[in-house]
mmCIF file of all heavy atoms in Angstrom:
data_model
loop_
_atom_site.group_PDB
_atom_site.id
_atom_site.type_symbol
_atom_site.label_atom_id
_atom_site.label_comp_id
_atom_site.label_asym_id
_atom_site.label_seq_id
_atom_site.Cartn_x
_atom_site.Cartn_y
_atom_site.Cartn_z
ATOM 1 N N LEU A 1 0.819 -1.232 -0.070
ATOM 2 C CA LEU A 1 0.069 0.040 0.049
ATOM 3 C C LEU A 1 0.858 1.276 -0.028
ATOM 4 O O LEU A 1 0.262 2.376 -0.099
ATOM 5 C CB LEU A 1 -0.936 -0.015 1.292
ATOM 6 C CG LEU A 1 -2.051 -1.045 1.181
ATOM 7 C CD1 LEU A 1 -2.798 -1.082 2.431
ATOM 8 C CD2 LEU A 1 -2.963 -0.804 0.058
ATOM 9 N N GLY A 2 2.059 1.163 0.083
ATOM 10 C CA GLY A 2 2.984 2.210 -0.002
ATOM 11 C C GLY A 2 3.095 3.097 1.281
ATOM 12 O O GLY A 2 3.402 4.271 1.068
ATOM 13 N N LEU A 3 2.870 2.547 2.347
ATOM 14 C CA LEU A 3 2.795 3.338 3.607
ATOM 15 C C LEU A 3 4.125 3.281 4.302
ATOM 16 O O LEU A 3 4.806 2.350 4.331
ATOM 17 C CB LEU A 3 1.668 2.798 4.489
ATOM 18 C CG LEU A 3 0.226 2.842 3.892
ATOM 19 C CD1 LEU A 3 -0.782 2.013 4.789
ATOM 20 C CD2 LEU A 3 -0.152 4.264 3.859
ATOM 21 N N ASN A 4 4.402 4.499 4.999
ATOM 22 C CA ASN A 4 5.566 4.589 5.918
ATOM 23 C C ASN A 4 5.137 4.047 7.302
ATOM 24 O O ASN A 4 4.358 4.772 7.943
ATOM 25 C CB ASN A 4 6.068 5.932 5.962
ATOM 26 C CG ASN A 4 7.357 6.123 6.782
ATOM 27 O OD1 ASN A 4 7.964 5.025 7.200
ATOM 28 N ND2 ASN A 4 7.624 7.417 7.108
ATOM 29 N N PHE A 5 5.584 2.963 7.741
ATOM 30 C CA PHE A 5 4.968 2.400 8.868
ATOM 31 C C PHE A 5 5.982 1.706 9.896
ATOM 32 O O PHE A 5 7.153 1.464 9.426
ATOM 33 C CB PHE A 5 3.938 1.274 8.733
ATOM 34 C CG PHE A 5 4.528 0.056 7.977
ATOM 35 C CD1 PHE A 5 4.795 -1.078 8.696
ATOM 36 C CD2 PHE A 5 4.789 0.005 6.581
ATOM 37 C CE1 PHE A 5 5.407 -2.212 8.094
ATOM 38 C CE2 PHE A 5 5.340 -1.061 5.989
ATOM 39 C CZ PHE A 5 5.606 -2.179 6.834
ATOM 40 N N ARG A 6 5.695 1.561 11.040
ATOM 41 C CA ARG A 6 6.496 0.849 12.024
ATOM 42 C C ARG A 6 5.665 -0.171 12.778
ATOM 43 O O ARG A 6 4.505 0.201 13.207
ATOM 44 C CB ARG A 6 7.239 1.767 12.944
ATOM 45 C CG ARG A 6 8.356 2.527 12.403
ATOM 46 C CD ARG A 6 9.481 1.740 12.009
ATOM 47 N NE ARG A 6 10.165 1.031 13.050
ATOM 48 C CZ ARG A 6 11.224 1.513 13.759
ATOM 49 N NH1 ARG A 6 11.741 2.632 13.395
ATOM 50 N NH2 ARG A 6 11.741 0.918 14.808
ATOM 51 N N ALA A 7 6.167 -1.386 13.059
ATOM 52 C CA ALA A 7 5.353 -2.376 13.967
ATOM 53 C C ALA A 7 5.976 -2.161 15.405
ATOM 54 O O ALA A 7 7.122 -2.167 15.644
ATOM 55 C CB ALA A 7 5.710 -3.757 13.438
ATOM 56 N N VAL A 8 5.130 -1.796 16.246
ATOM 57 C CA VAL A 8 5.442 -1.489 17.577
ATOM 58 C C VAL A 8 4.787 -2.321 18.669
ATOM 59 O O VAL A 8 3.733 -2.908 18.477
ATOM 60 C CB VAL A 8 5.187 -0.005 17.901
ATOM 61 C CG1 VAL A 8 5.839 0.974 16.826
ATOM 62 C CG2 VAL A 8 3.684 0.304 17.982
ATOM 63 N N GLU A 9 5.381 -2.443 19.842
ATOM 64 C CA GLU A 9 4.845 -3.185 21.001
ATOM 65 C C GLU A 9 3.514 -2.373 21.393
ATOM 66 O O GLU A 9 3.544 -1.164 21.300
ATOM 67 C CB GLU A 9 5.803 -3.310 22.158
ATOM 68 C CG GLU A 9 7.077 -3.993 21.849
ATOM 69 C CD GLU A 9 6.851 -5.473 21.717
ATOM 70 O OE1 GLU A 9 5.830 -6.028 22.109
ATOM 71 O OE2 GLU A 9 7.640 -6.133 21.069
ATOM 72 N N ALA A 10 2.486 -3.031 21.790
ATOM 73 C CA ALA A 10 1.304 -2.280 21.979
ATOM 74 C C ALA A 10 0.561 -2.978 23.223
ATOM 75 O O ALA A 10 0.817 -4.135 23.608
ATOM 76 C CB ALA A 10 0.288 -2.372 20.758
ATOM 77 N N ASP A 11 -0.370 -2.250 23.719
ATOM 78 C CA ASP A 11 -1.316 -2.611 24.858
ATOM 79 C C ASP A 11 -2.631 -3.288 24.212
ATOM 80 O O ASP A 11 -3.159 -2.784 23.290
ATOM 81 C CB ASP A 11 -1.793 -1.448 25.665
ATOM 82 C CG ASP A 11 -2.598 -1.924 26.803
ATOM 83 O OD1 ASP A 11 -2.843 -3.056 27.025
ATOM 84 O OD2 ASP A 11 -3.117 -0.917 27.534
ATOM 85 N N SER A 12 -2.730 -4.592 24.605
ATOM 86 C CA SER A 12 -3.892 -5.363 24.047
ATOM 87 C C SER A 12 -5.301 -4.742 24.426
ATOM 88 O O SER A 12 -6.235 -5.037 23.752
ATOM 89 C CB SER A 12 -3.833 -6.746 24.466
ATOM 90 O OG SER A 12 -2.571 -7.358 24.047
ATOM 91 N N GLY A 13 -5.424 -3.980 25.428
ATOM 92 C CA GLY A 13 -6.572 -3.333 25.900
ATOM 93 C C GLY A 13 -7.767 -4.419 26.231
ATOM 94 O O GLY A 13 -7.512 -5.384 26.773
ATOM 95 N N ALA A 14 -8.890 -3.957 25.863
ATOM 96 C CA ALA A 14 -10.116 -4.745 26.128
ATOM 97 C C ALA A 14 -10.041 -6.179 25.488
ATOM 98 O O ALA A 14 -10.796 -7.124 26.006
ATOM 99 C CB ALA A 14 -11.442 -4.127 25.829
ATOM 100 N N ILE A 15 -9.328 -6.293 24.416
ATOM 101 C CA ILE A 15 -9.338 -7.670 23.714
ATOM 102 C C ILE A 15 -8.609 -8.585 24.456
ATOM 103 O O ILE A 15 -8.755 -9.852 24.469
ATOM 104 C CB ILE A 15 -8.778 -7.425 22.279
ATOM 105 C CG1 ILE A 15 -9.690 -6.578 21.348
ATOM 106 C CG2 ILE A 15 -8.445 -8.771 21.603
ATOM 107 C CD1 ILE A 15 -9.142 -6.217 20.094
ATOM 108 N N GLY A 16 -7.452 -8.183 25.195
ATOM 109 C CA GLY A 16 -6.706 -9.020 26.168
ATOM 110 C C GLY A 16 -5.599 -9.686 25.328
ATOM 111 O O GLY A 16 -5.258 -9.415 24.305
ATOM 112 N N GLY A 17 -5.022 -10.664 25.973
ATOM 113 C CA GLY A 17 -3.896 -11.408 25.425
ATOM 114 C C GLY A 17 -2.572 -11.059 26.073
ATOM 115 O O GLY A 17 -2.472 -10.051 26.724
ATOM 116 N N SER A 18 -1.614 -11.927 25.865
ATOM 117 C CA SER A 18 -0.221 -11.814 26.523
ATOM 118 C C SER A 18 0.688 -10.878 25.634
ATOM 119 O O SER A 18 1.668 -10.467 26.203
ATOM 120 C CB SER A 18 0.374 -13.043 26.822
ATOM 121 O OG SER A 18 0.533 -13.863 25.599
ATOM 122 N N GLY A 19 0.390 -10.705 24.391
ATOM 123 C CA GLY A 19 1.269 -9.941 23.622
ATOM 124 C C GLY A 19 0.563 -9.203 22.436
ATOM 125 O O GLY A 19 -0.414 -9.777 21.986
ATOM 126 N N SER A 20 1.080 -8.108 22.002
ATOM 127 C CA SER A 20 0.346 -7.422 20.938
ATOM 128 C C SER A 20 1.357 -6.591 20.141
ATOM 129 O O SER A 20 2.225 -5.944 20.670
ATOM 130 C CB SER A 20 -0.830 -6.625 21.452
ATOM 131 O OG SER A 20 -1.417 -5.928 20.415
ATOM 132 N N LYS A 21 1.197 -6.488 18.767
ATOM 133 C CA LYS A 21 1.933 -5.538 18.011
ATOM 134 C C LYS A 21 0.920 -4.660 17.215
ATOM 135 O O LYS A 21 -0.098 -5.153 16.846
ATOM 136 C CB LYS A 21 2.805 -6.301 16.916
ATOM 137 C CG LYS A 21 3.947 -7.176 17.515
ATOM 138 C CD LYS A 21 5.058 -6.255 17.508
ATOM 139 C CE LYS A 21 6.376 -7.206 17.847
ATOM 140 N NZ LYS A 21 7.572 -6.284 17.878
ATOM 141 N N GLU A 22 1.260 -3.421 17.129
ATOM 142 C CA GLU A 22 0.582 -2.540 16.278
ATOM 143 C C GLU A 22 1.298 -2.080 15.131
ATOM 144 O O GLU A 22 2.503 -1.680 15.277
ATOM 145 C CB GLU A 22 0.098 -1.279 17.097
ATOM 146 C CG GLU A 22 -1.060 -1.430 18.119
ATOM 147 C CD GLU A 22 -1.343 -0.244 18.834
ATOM 148 O OE1 GLU A 22 -0.440 0.714 18.969
ATOM 149 O OE2 GLU A 22 -2.456 -0.180 19.299
ATOM 150 N N PHE A 23 0.689 -2.017 13.941
ATOM 151 C CA PHE A 23 1.408 -1.454 12.735
ATOM 152 C C PHE A 23 0.858 -0.078 12.707
ATOM 153 O O PHE A 23 -0.223 0.211 12.291
ATOM 154 C CB PHE A 23 0.971 -2.329 11.538
ATOM 155 C CG PHE A 23 1.772 -3.615 11.399
ATOM 156 C CD1 PHE A 23 1.343 -4.672 12.145
ATOM 157 C CD2 PHE A 23 2.803 -3.661 10.518
ATOM 158 C CE1 PHE A 23 1.996 -5.870 12.140
ATOM 159 C CE2 PHE A 23 3.463 -4.945 10.405
ATOM 160 C CZ PHE A 23 3.242 -5.972 11.207
ATOM 161 N N MET A 24 1.766 0.858 12.923
ATOM 162 C CA MET A 24 1.552 2.330 13.085
ATOM 163 C C MET A 24 2.056 2.995 11.741
ATOM 164 O O MET A 24 3.272 2.962 11.437
ATOM 165 C CB MET A 24 2.169 2.952 14.312
ATOM 166 C CG MET A 24 1.827 2.167 15.551
ATOM 167 S SD MET A 24 0.206 2.479 16.162
ATOM 168 C CE MET A 24 0.372 4.087 16.944
ATOM 169 N N VAL A 25 1.096 3.689 11.032
ATOM 170 C CA VAL A 25 1.545 4.584 9.903
ATOM 171 C C VAL A 25 2.063 5.840 10.519
ATOM 172 O O VAL A 25 1.383 6.445 11.356
ATOM 173 C CB VAL A 25 0.371 4.829 9.023
ATOM 174 C CG1 VAL A 25 0.793 5.772 7.921
ATOM 175 C CG2 VAL A 25 -0.182 3.561 8.434
ATOM 176 N N LEU A 26 3.278 6.227 10.145
ATOM 177 C CA LEU A 26 3.967 7.417 10.717
ATOM 178 C C LEU A 26 3.302 8.723 10.072
ATOM 179 O O LEU A 26 3.363 8.799 8.877
ATOM 180 C CB LEU A 26 5.398 7.441 10.539
ATOM 181 C CG LEU A 26 6.120 6.152 11.078
ATOM 182 C CD1 LEU A 26 7.678 6.354 10.918
ATOM 183 C CD2 LEU A 26 5.864 5.893 12.457
ATOM 184 N N ALA A 27 2.682 9.527 10.832
ATOM 185 C CA ALA A 27 2.072 10.738 10.293
ATOM 186 C C ALA A 27 2.080 11.802 11.438
ATOM 187 O O ALA A 27 1.853 11.455 12.626
ATOM 188 C CB ALA A 27 0.679 10.400 9.790
ATOM 189 N N ASP A 28 1.985 12.981 11.036
ATOM 190 C CA ASP A 28 1.950 14.115 12.102
ATOM 191 C C ASP A 28 0.438 14.187 12.545
ATOM 192 O O ASP A 28 0.286 14.821 13.610
ATOM 193 C CB ASP A 28 2.394 15.435 11.441
ATOM 194 C CG ASP A 28 3.774 15.482 11.026
ATOM 195 O OD1 ASP A 28 4.587 14.692 11.691
ATOM 196 O OD2 ASP A 28 4.123 16.154 10.116
ATOM 197 N N SER A 29 -0.465 13.676 11.843
ATOM 198 C CA SER A 29 -1.915 13.916 12.266
ATOM 199 C C SER A 29 -2.415 12.634 13.178
ATOM 200 O O SER A 29 -3.610 12.640 13.367
ATOM 201 C CB SER A 29 -2.750 13.948 11.003
ATOM 202 O OG SER A 29 -2.495 12.805 10.169
ATOM 203 N N GLY A 30 -1.530 11.856 13.610
ATOM 204 C CA GLY A 30 -1.966 10.728 14.315
ATOM 205 C C GLY A 30 -2.392 11.065 15.701
ATOM 206 O O GLY A 30 -2.057 12.213 16.272
ATOM 207 N N GLU A 31 -3.070 10.140 16.468
ATOM 208 C CA GLU A 31 -3.426 10.333 17.930
ATOM 209 C C GLU A 31 -2.526 9.666 18.878
ATOM 210 O O GLU A 31 -2.547 9.934 20.048
ATOM 211 C CB GLU A 31 -4.898 9.935 18.092
ATOM 212 C CG GLU A 31 -5.913 10.763 17.347
ATOM 213 C CD GLU A 31 -7.287 10.412 17.819
ATOM 214 O OE1 GLU A 31 -7.765 9.257 17.408
ATOM 215 O OE2 GLU A 31 -7.962 11.114 18.364
ATOM 216 N N ASP A 32 -1.812 8.653 18.355
ATOM 217 C CA ASP A 32 -0.994 7.889 19.271
ATOM 218 C C ASP A 32 0.532 8.302 19.190
ATOM 219 O O ASP A 32 0.982 8.854 18.088
ATOM 220 C CB ASP A 32 -0.900 6.340 18.840
ATOM 221 C CG ASP A 32 -2.214 5.728 19.413
ATOM 222 O OD1 ASP A 32 -2.929 6.314 20.241
ATOM 223 O OD2 ASP A 32 -2.505 4.680 18.903
ATOM 224 N N ASP A 33 1.245 8.271 20.302
ATOM 225 C CA ASP A 33 2.631 8.464 20.319
ATOM 226 C C ASP A 33 3.404 7.176 20.421
ATOM 227 O O ASP A 33 3.071 6.268 21.181
ATOM 228 C CB ASP A 33 3.064 9.377 21.408
ATOM 229 C CG ASP A 33 2.398 10.769 21.253
ATOM 230 O OD1 ASP A 33 2.452 11.335 20.224
ATOM 231 O OD2 ASP A 33 2.051 11.244 22.416
ATOM 232 N N ILE A 34 4.513 7.061 19.656
ATOM 233 C CA ILE A 34 5.295 5.876 19.717
ATOM 234 C C ILE A 34 6.743 6.230 20.140
ATOM 235 O O ILE A 34 7.182 7.356 19.724
ATOM 236 C CB ILE A 34 5.359 4.995 18.405
ATOM 237 C CG1 ILE A 34 5.960 5.782 17.246
ATOM 238 C CG2 ILE A 34 3.940 4.580 18.047
ATOM 239 C CD1 ILE A 34 6.118 5.030 15.975
ATOM 240 N N LEU A 35 7.484 5.270 20.811
ATOM 241 C CA LEU A 35 8.811 5.615 21.113
ATOM 242 C C LEU A 35 9.699 4.594 20.365
ATOM 243 O O LEU A 35 9.382 3.338 20.272
ATOM 244 C CB LEU A 35 8.991 5.279 22.566
ATOM 245 C CG LEU A 35 8.225 6.215 23.529
ATOM 246 C CD1 LEU A 35 8.372 5.754 24.972
ATOM 247 C CD2 LEU A 35 8.475 7.599 23.317
ATOM 248 N N VAL A 36 10.736 5.094 19.656
ATOM 249 C CA VAL A 36 11.539 4.309 18.712
ATOM 250 C C VAL A 36 12.990 4.436 19.223
ATOM 251 O O VAL A 36 13.464 5.552 19.378
ATOM 252 C CB VAL A 36 11.413 4.769 17.299
ATOM 253 C CG1 VAL A 36 12.324 3.939 16.375
ATOM 254 C CG2 VAL A 36 9.933 4.650 16.819
ATOM 255 N N CYS A 37 13.661 3.248 19.336
ATOM 256 C CA CYS A 37 15.086 3.367 19.656
ATOM 257 C C CYS A 37 15.912 3.422 18.419
ATOM 258 O O CYS A 37 15.739 2.753 17.457
ATOM 259 C CB CYS A 37 15.433 2.047 20.391
ATOM 260 S SG CYS A 37 17.267 1.851 20.715
ATOM 261 N N GLU A 38 16.840 4.463 18.401
ATOM 262 C CA GLU A 38 17.646 4.655 17.231
ATOM 263 C C GLU A 38 18.760 3.800 17.123
ATOM 264 O O GLU A 38 19.378 3.657 15.942
ATOM 265 C CB GLU A 38 18.094 6.118 17.172
ATOM 266 C CG GLU A 38 17.011 7.163 17.151
ATOM 267 C CD GLU A 38 17.578 8.602 17.183
ATOM 268 O OE1 GLU A 38 18.810 8.788 17.414
ATOM 269 O OE2 GLU A 38 16.781 9.506 16.983
ATOM 270 N N SER A 39 19.129 3.019 18.152
ATOM 271 C CA SER A 39 20.323 2.156 18.097
ATOM 272 C C SER A 39 19.918 0.672 18.051
ATOM 273 O O SER A 39 20.769 -0.162 17.988
ATOM 274 C CB SER A 39 21.238 2.385 19.165
ATOM 275 O OG SER A 39 20.522 2.190 20.495
ATOM 276 N N CYS A 40 18.608 0.369 18.111
ATOM 277 C CA CYS A 40 18.139 -1.010 17.975
ATOM 278 C C CYS A 40 16.774 -1.098 17.368
ATOM 279 O O CYS A 40 16.336 -0.038 16.827
ATOM 280 C CB CYS A 40 18.181 -1.664 19.346
ATOM 281 S SG CYS A 40 16.808 -0.989 20.406
ATOM 282 N N LYS A 41 16.227 -2.186 17.213
ATOM 283 C CA LYS A 41 14.889 -2.278 16.466
ATOM 284 C C LYS A 41 13.649 -2.108 17.470
ATOM 285 O O LYS A 41 12.570 -2.285 16.945
ATOM 286 C CB LYS A 41 14.777 -3.752 15.951
ATOM 287 C CG LYS A 41 15.791 -3.979 14.776
ATOM 288 C CD LYS A 41 15.635 -5.397 14.143
ATOM 289 C CE LYS A 41 16.604 -5.546 13.026
ATOM 290 N NZ LYS A 41 16.401 -6.899 12.350
ATOM 291 N N TYR A 42 13.955 -1.648 18.688
ATOM 292 C CA TYR A 42 12.788 -1.654 19.631
ATOM 293 C C TYR A 42 11.940 -0.424 19.211
ATOM 294 O O TYR A 42 12.419 0.625 19.058
ATOM 295 C CB TYR A 42 13.329 -1.436 21.043
ATOM 296 C CG TYR A 42 12.172 -1.398 22.076
ATOM 297 C CD1 TYR A 42 11.536 -2.574 22.422
ATOM 298 C CD2 TYR A 42 11.738 -0.157 22.582
ATOM 299 C CE1 TYR A 42 10.432 -2.499 23.367
ATOM 300 C CE2 TYR A 42 10.660 -0.028 23.474
ATOM 301 C CZ TYR A 42 10.084 -1.200 23.847
ATOM 302 O OH TYR A 42 8.985 -1.137 24.772
ATOM 303 N N ALA A 43 10.603 -0.709 19.206
ATOM 304 C CA ALA A 43 9.610 0.319 19.091
ATOM 305 C C ALA A 43 8.392 -0.006 19.811
ATOM 306 O O ALA A 43 7.975 -1.138 19.661
ATOM 307 C CB ALA A 43 9.366 0.665 17.605
#
């Protein structure tokens, strides 16, 4: 789809579960903030 994105660790919320990943499209207009490590793959 040609999107600039990052897969990040996420909170599962009401759905639950022991682990979750969110695919976040990087944009100035978003509502979520993500933290990205510049020296490793953690996001």
